[in-house]
Amino acid sequence: MRVGIINFTEVKPTSTIASNAIALCVHERFENAVLMDTPQRCTLAHQKGKPFDLLVVVNGVFGFCKFRQQVVDMVAAHERIVWAGNDFDLCPVPSQLQKVFREKKHLEYWCAYHMDTPCTGYPKGKYHYVNWNALAWKPLAHKQRKLCEGLMYYGAFRADRLPYFEKYLHPCSPYRIYCSPPSSKQAHKWFTFHGGMHFFNANPPAFLETLGSFRTSIYIEDTYTHEQFCSPANRFYELVSARVLVLFDVSCQNTFDTAGISIGDYLVNGSKDLNMMLKAAPSLLEKQQQDFATQRDKNPTPWETVLPC
C-alpha cells in the first residue's frame, strides 16, 4: 500500500512538536511512505501523478503551513483520507479542508480523543482511537541524581487553566515553583501572574534530562477535557519518562480512568494537599514509578500507539 503523509510544517528530528512525532510514526510504520512537509516535497509527490492508496493528513496549525493550496489539491485528488489528530480543541480540521472532507466517501479519523457524537469542525467519517501522545513515552535509565525540591509545572499558560494556577502556583504557595516558558510571550504571562516564579529551559535535545532534575510536578488539564475525552497529554508521558513524581488535580481522574491508568494515590485538591505530598515526595516517586510499571505489565495499551492498519 502506497501511503502519503502531509504535515503542515517541516519535520525536524530534534523537534518535540506532537505533529512531527505523529508524522514520523506513520512514516516509520508504513514501508516506502512518502512524507510531504514542505512545498517542494508536496510538489514533487503531486507531479509523480499516481495517487496514494492512503493519504494521512496530520493535525496542526494550518496557518503555519506554507503550501496550503497544495494540501487542499492533494486531498481533493485522493479517495481514502485519514486525519491523524492528537489535539481536539487547538487543531481541528481547517475550514479550507472541511468542504473537501465532506465530499469523501472514505474519510477516517485516527485520533487521541473520543468522537462518539458529531463534532463541530469534523466532517462525518469512520473513527479509530489512537493514543498518539504515548509516542512521548521514552523512559530514561534510572540513575542517582541531585533533584530540585519544590514544584515544577511543565505545560502551557492557557486562560482556562488559570483556576488551577491559582490553586497550585499562586505567589503565596508554601513551596518553591518552577516553570519552563516556551516563548518570551509565555514568560511574560507567567511573570505577570507570579513574579517570583523560577524559570528553567527545557529545550531539546536533552529536555527529558532537564525535567528529570526536578522531583515533583503538577498535572492539570484543559477544562474541555473534563467532558471531551482526550488521552493523557504528551507532558504526562514525558514527565514519567524523566522519572518525575506527577501529582494530579482531582479533576483529571475521569480522563485517566478512561485511559486505563490508575492515579488515585497521587490526587491533590489544593496547595495544602500538595504541600503534604511534597514532604513525602522521595518515597512517593519510587512508589509511583513502580505502580506505573506494574500497570504497564498488566495493561500496556495506555502506553502504546497502535495504528488501525
Side-chain angles (χ1 to χ4, degrees):
M1 179 168 63
R2 294 184 68 250
V3 176
I5 306 153
I6 291 177
N7 198 60
F8 298 153
T9 56
E10 186 174 4
V11 175
K12 298 180 180 179
T14 59
S15 173
T16 58
I17 298 174
S19 59
N20 285 7
I22 295 172
L24 286 174
C25 172
V26 177
H27 189 257
E28 291 167 1
R29 302 284 177 96
F30 291 97
E31 187 176 357
N32 299 320
V34 177
L35 178 61
M36 295 164 282
D37 58 346
T38 65
Q40 296 78 13
R41 289 172 182 162
C42 194
T43 298
L44 182 62
H46 195 54
Q47 287 175 343
K48 290 187 177 180
K50 188 177 179 181
F52 295 104
D53 300 307
L54 176 68
L55 183 66
V56 179
V57 184
V58 180
N59 77 176
V61 181
F62 202 45
F64 293 161
C65 182
K66 297 179 180 178
F67 51 104
R68 292 190 288 274
Q69 188 56 51
Q70 288 173 281
V71 171
V72 174
D73 293 342
M74 284 289 285
V75 171
H78 287 78
E79 291 187 9
R80 187 183 175 194
I81 305 295
V82 166
W83 175 260
N86 79 308
D87 198 314
F88 174 84
D89 190 53
L90 290 182
C91 300
V93 177
S95 58
Q96 298 95 318
L97 290 178
Q98 288 183 30
K99 180 181 178 181
V100 187
F101 273 24
R102 291 190 188 97
E103 297 170 352
K104 298 298 173 183
K105 294 181 180 178
H106 304 288
L107 173 63
E108 298 178 35
Y109 293 97
W110 297 358
C111 295
Y113 38 83
H114 286 177
M115 295 177 64
D116 300 325
T117 57
C119 303
T120 302
Y122 292 87
K124 187 178 180 180
K126 187 176 182 180
Y127 165 78
H128 302 275
Y129 174 68
V130 179
N131 187 359
W132 296 112
N133 293 333
L135 293 171
W137 165 240
K138 298 176 182 178
L140 295 178
H142 184 31
K143 61 182 180 180
Q144 291 296 115
R145 53 206 171 124
K146 185 178 180 179
L147 299 177
C148 292
E149 303 297 344
L151 182 70
M152 180 262 287
Y153 172 72
Y154 178 56
F157 189 107
R158 293 180 183 166
D160 71 341
R161 295 181 187 175
L162 272 172
Y164 302 106
F165 297 158
E166 292 284 354
K167 197 173 181 180
Y168 299 107
L169 309 179
H170 58 80
C172 295
S173 300
Y175 38 78
R176 196 167 189 171
I177 301 171
Y178 304 84
C179 79
S180 176
S183 67
S184 58
K185 184 177 180 180
Q186 287 260 315
H188 178 72
K189 289 181 179 179
W190 280 119
F191 188 78
T192 302
F193 174 75
H194 183 346
M197 187 174 286
H198 301 270
F199 293 165
F200 68 95
N201 188 356
N203 289 328
F207 79 102
L208 283 181
E209 287 79 1
T210 301
L211 294 179
S213 66
F214 297 89
R215 192 186 301 278
T216 309
S217 182
I218 181 69
Y219 182 97
I220 59 178
E221 64 183 19
D222 296 310
T223 52
Y224 75 87
T225 59
H226 300 340
E227 304 295 333
Q228 170 68 51
F229 171 77
C230 296
S231 71
N234 285 344
R235 54 199 158 87
F236 163 72
Y237 293 101
E238 290 164 347
L239 289 166
V240 179
S241 294
R243 301 187 64 84
V244 177
L245 170 63
V246 187
L247 302 177
F248 306 83
D249 181 73
V250 291
S251 63
C252 301
Q253 180 151 21
N254 183 58
T255 292
F256 282 83
D257 285 348
T258 305
I261 299 174
S262 177
I263 61 170
D265 289 344
Y266 312 102
L267 295 172
V268 291
N269 190 16
S271 58
K272 185 177 179 180
D273 269 5
L274 194 145
N275 196 40
M276 291 178 62
M277 290 285 212
L278 287 176
K279 294 175 182 177
S283 58
L284 278 175
L285 171 57
E286 296 307 315
K287 178 183 183 308
Q288 185 178 76
Q289 285 286 316
Q290 185 57 53
D291 281 353
F292 286 156
T294 301
Q295 290 182 44
R296 286 194 300 276
D297 289 342
K298 292 181 178 178
N299 179 22
T301 302
W303 303 83
E304 297 177 333
T305 301
V306 180
L307 302 192
C309 62

